[in-house]
Amino acid sequence: MDNTRYKVLLIEDDKIDQIAFKRLVENEKLPYDCEIAGSVSEARSILRSEKFDIVIADYLLGDGTAFDTLDLVKNTPIIFITGAGSEEIATEAWKSGAYDYLIKDNERNYLKAVPITVENAIKHKQMEETIDQKQKNLEAIFDAVPIGMLLVDENMIIKRVNDTIRQLFGREYSEIINQRVGNALCCINSTYSKEGCRHSPACAECPLQKAVKSVLDSEQAVHAIEIHPTLKVDGKEITPWLSINAEPAMIDGCKHVVLAIDDITDRKNAEEKLKETMEIKSQFISMVSHELRTPLECIKEGIAIILDGVVGEINDGQRNFLDIAKRNVDRLAVLINDVLDFQKLEAGKLRLNMQENDISEVVEEVHKTMVSSAKERGVDFSLKLEDNLPKARFDRDEIIQVLTNLVSNAIKFTPEQGNVSVCVQHQGEELVIRVSDTGIGIPRQALPKIFDRFYRVQQPGKQIHGTGLGLAIVKKIVMMQAGRIEVESEVDRGTIFTVFLPLDPRSLPETPSSEAEKILENIITNN
Ligand code: ADP
């Protein structure tokens, strides 16, 4: 059972009503601890020193009305008792903060309604307090988040901000609240105009203004807009990077925008530093690889001249060592080429030369250059070209490189007496080029990783050289030409790489990903 007792103040000047009320409490065993004030002045003196759970007040009192006590009752629910026919007083009482009213009647039947009216008024008060507390909690969260929060109304006036905003922009609350977004958060480079800097030339372009306006107009959120204003904070000029998210919100039936502004200066600086470091690394690798190429060519040339016997007879022992030297120099050359190609692709420096080309002719050229190394390894290398293949737009040299890489892998990973073949078909708007081998295959779990740079499948007991860059290069080139590559493989059975190349990348519908957009842009700017 609920044992809650209520402390009740009855303000009533009629002695009989006072007695009737006390009797009601006794008879009904109401859990009230009652005090009675017989006048406004008596009520005021009691209210000054005591707090009650509920005040029940007769409206008309000898020395005034119950309204005269309202200033002291403030946080306590109050129920008015009025005479019959005084409903307008009751309405007035509602407006002044009364929770309910009772209308007196001669038989004092109104007293029967006292318990339920008191119960309701107290519940009402408790509910108000809960809502108030929830509101306060929300406000505390709003104020405490380490991200700047702003509430802007449909006239672009700032209605609420948290402390982070004040700190970010170095302004006082009074300089922000009830100001236009532009005026309150303006960058010191903007011209400060009366209408707000949305109307000044500098700020019309401000992405912060645009974001708020766009959300108000479209009722769609905008995310991750970056701004780089010049602000004066604590007397110092700073140029932070800020990221803005703006969400539409209906508050009190009106359109609003909730802005979250995050200081991303540290991240931006770190990105900038990383970019610089990457650039330096990339330049360094390019420079070193270039510098290695020239002497390597001289060594290669020298070895070839000695092996050919141009500078005198060599014996078998010497030939043996020179062969080893030649193989290793060739490996080094491949490695340097891979690194240089990859750097070029990574740095976005590869300019495609998109032309109409005959794929059969390209595949035959690859066959011509690779057939001898297949033969050397005892691997059969054949072509299967469909008749009347259509011409396609691609960068010839780059597709030669793609096929050379795929075929050289196929030869490299296929044991003696195995087969390597390149098959080309025309399917819809695409050329389908399959490079198949009957080699060692790729384990299922490695398949998703083989296009990653530097990834190589560990082959216990087998020493097959490589950089792990070949397939990363292949994939990048194919994607740059709006194509795609797939792989199927079975260990000890063989591998099939399939390249799909669009006949004309320009005719492709717009692709949603930004990478695809960049690819198409690249194609367009290269034509
Ligand atoms: P590399 O050949 O220089 O090691 P790639 O990027 O060309 O680098 O290939 C990555 C890895 O994928 C290779 O190390 C190999 O493990 C595997 N791989 C590629 N092609 C084949 C193939 N045809 N057969 C078996 N494994 C292959």
Side-chain angles (χ1 to χ4, degrees):
M1 226 185 95
D2 191 357
N3 289 326
T4 319
R5 297 191 65 79
Y6 300 139
K7 209 173 156 201
V8 180
L9 176 65
L10 175 72
I11 312 175
E12 173 64 78
D13 58 349
D14 186 322
K15 289 270 184 283
I16 301 183
D17 278 314
Q18 289 181 2
I19 293 165
F21 187 86
K22 278 191 193 161
R23 202 170 283 155
L24 168 84
V25 175
E26 271 171 32
N27 290 348
E28 298 292 322
K29 296 195 175 54
L30 297 174
Y32 300 171
D33 297 324
C34 291
E35 258 188 71
I36 295 178
S39 64
V40 169
S41 57
E42 201 185 332
R44 288 185 70 80
S45 91
I46 295 175
L47 283 165
R48 268 198 201 96
S49 57
E50 279 181 73
K51 261 199 75 61
F52 293 87
D53 296 311
I54 185 117
V55 174
I56 303 171
D58 186 14
Y59 172 67
L60 207 57
L61 297 155
D63 55 347
T65 71
F67 280 11
D68 300 329
T69 61
L70 279 178
D71 60 323
L72 291 178
V73 178
K74 247 192 272 158
N75 282 320
T76 310
I78 180 164
I79 297 167
F80 279 81
I81 305 172
T82 64
S86 330
E87 278 82 359
E88 65 288 359
I89 294 171
T91 321
E92 199 54 34
W94 275 107
K95 284 191 197 151
S96 321
Y99 277 64
D100 214 336
Y101 65 91
L102 295 164
I103 297 177
K104 268 190 183 172
D105 58 324
N106 289 337
E107 287 77 35
R108 297 201 166 77
N109 279 327
Y110 76 93
L111 286 172
K112 288 188 191 141
V114 164
I116 185 80
T117 314
V118 165
E119 199 62 37
N120 284 344
I122 287 177
K123 270 197 196 132
H124 185 160
K125 173 75 184 168
Q126 283 168 346
M127 230 146 74
E128 270 185 358
E129 276 172 356
T130 314
I131 293 172
D132 203 45
Q133 191 53 47
K134 282 192 175 158
Q135 173 83 11
K136 283 204 180 105
N137 290 347
L138 280 179
E139 284 172 8
I141 294 170
F142 186 91
D143 288 337
V145 282
I147 290 175
M149 300 290 289
L150 274 161
L151 183 66
V152 179
D153 76 4
E154 58 192 333
N155 299 315
M156 312 219 9
I157 304 290
I158 298 171
K159 288 312 206 186
R160 212 190 145 88
V161 294
N162 66 357
D163 197 48
T164 313
I165 284 286
R166 204 187 53 71
Q167 290 172 16
L168 272 179
F169 287 86
R171 303 255 150 86
E172 287 309 319
Y173 283 116
S174 58
E175 296 175 286
I176 305 175
I177 300 289
N178 289 329
Q179 302 290 320
R180 288 191 81 88
V181 175
N183 278 349
L185 306 177
C186 75
C187 148
I188 60 171
N189 294 331
S190 66
T191 324
Y192 209 87
S193 79
K194 255 209 159 110
E195 291 88 5
C197 55
R198 187 161 72 92
H199 300 286
S200 81
C203 280
E205 288 312 310
C206 170
L208 177 62
Q209 300 273 11
K210 283 184 169 174
V212 175
K213 215 169 163 344
S214 140
V215 174
L216 283 172
D217 291 346
S218 69
E219 292 182 32
Q220 300 279 322
V222 294
H223 293 296
I225 307 272
E226 288 181 2
I227 61 170
H228 191 37
T230 307
L231 304 171
K232 204 162 208 162
V233 175
D234 298 333
K236 266 192 278 165
E237 264 187 33
I238 57 163
T239 49
W241 277 99
L242 304 175
S243 166
I244 305 169
N245 285 315
E247 300 274 349
M250 271 313 236
I251 295 172
D252 295 334
C254 297
K255 275 193 205 175
H256 281 75
V257 181
V258 179
L259 285 165
I261 304 184
D262 201 7
D263 188 343
I264 54 164
T265 314
D266 289 347
R267 197 191 81 199
K268 273 289 203 190
N269 287 345
E271 274 173 13
E272 216 36 57
K273 259 232 135 60
L274 186 68
K275 229 159 95 187
E276 255 173 49
T277 315
M278 295 296 279
E279 184 62 25
I280 291 170
K281 185 200 91 181
S282 148
Q283 281 173 1
F284 175 76
I285 294 175
S286 285
M287 188 266 285
V288 170
S289 313
H290 270 292
E291 291 306 307
L292 286 174
R293 249 181 184 176
T294 323
L296 203 65
E297 277 307 312
C298 290
I299 298 168
K300 237 169 123 169
E301 199 55 29
I303 294 171
I305 290 170
I306 302 171
L307 272 174
D308 286 350
V310 177
V311 285
E313 281 283 306
I314 53 169
N315 62 33
D316 287 350
Q318 289 166 334
R319 178 172 298 279
N320 190 25
F321 281 115
L322 282 172
D323 278 339
I324 294 170
K326 180 177 178 299
R327 272 204 302 281
N328 280 286
V329 166
D330 285 345
R331 255 180 63 199
L332 199 55
V334 169
L335 193 143
I336 290 170
N337 277 338
D338 272 2
V339 171
L340 273 175
D341 287 342
F342 189 74
Q343 270 308 120
K344 205 153 81 177
L345 283 164
E346 280 278 274
K349 286 189 183 139
L350 180 71
R351 292 276 138 222
L352 291 176
N353 174 22
M354 301 294 282
Q355 301 288 341
E356 229 170 47
N357 284 299
D358 180 353
I359 189 72
S360 308
E361 187 242 312
V362 168
V363 172
E364 270 153 12
E365 181 164 333
V366 172
H367 185 260
K368 214 187 281 171
T369 32
M370 302 299 291
V371 74
S372 55
S373 68
K375 207 176 262 164
E376 260 174 44
R377 289 187 49 92
V379 170
D380 179 63
F381 178 20
S382 61
L383 299 183
K384 279 182 219 124
L385 303 173
E386 203 178 77
D387 289 339
N388 303 321
L389 283 166
K391 295 224 156 155
R393 278 187 87 76
F394 55 81
D395 182 316
R396 190 177 184 282
D397 291 344
E398 296 305 318
I399 293 299
I400 287 182
Q401 167 150 23
V402 165
L403 297 178
T404 308
N405 276 358
L406 293 177
V407 169
S408 85
N409 274 350
I411 296 171
K412 193 161 77 170
F413 294 106
T414 300
E416 233 173 294
Q417 292 181 352
N419 298 304
V420 168
S421 73
V422 178
C423 148
V424 187
Q425 287 172 311
H426 167 213
Q427 260 174 28
E429 293 303 305
E430 288 176 324
L431 289 176
V432 182
I433 310 162
R434 273 195 188 85
V435 180
S436 330
D437 65 59
T438 57
I440 61 172
I442 301 165
R444 180 181 287 271
Q445 67 276 15
L447 283 176
K449 294 183 247 170
I450 55 167
F451 294 104
D452 294 351
R453 49 187 159 171
F454 303 118
Y455 181 78
R456 310 193 68 228
V457 179
Q458 295 303 319
Q459 314 277 0
K462 292 183 192 132
Q463 264 273 321
I464 302 176
H465 298 290
T467 56
L469 283 173
L471 288 179
I473 294 170
V474 163
K475 181 161 181 188
K476 247 190 154 114
I477 295 175
V478 170
M479 287 192 54
M480 279 182 77
Q481 311 205 19
R484 61 190 199 284
I485 182 161
E486 288 172 5
V487 59
E488 298 156 67
S489 189
E490 214 178 304
V491 171
D492 293 331
R493 297 293 295 270
T495 303
I496 306 174
F497 283 93
T498 311
V499 176
F500 300 85
L501 270 190
L503 292 180
D504 189 351
R506 294 174 309 183
S507 67
L508 294 180
E510 237 173 71
T511 24
S513 81
S514 62
E515 188 162 12
E517 263 165 39
K518 268 190 251 154
I519 292 163
L520 283 178
E521 207 176 287
N522 205 335
I523 293 165
I524 292 157
T525 49
N526 277 293
N527 279 278

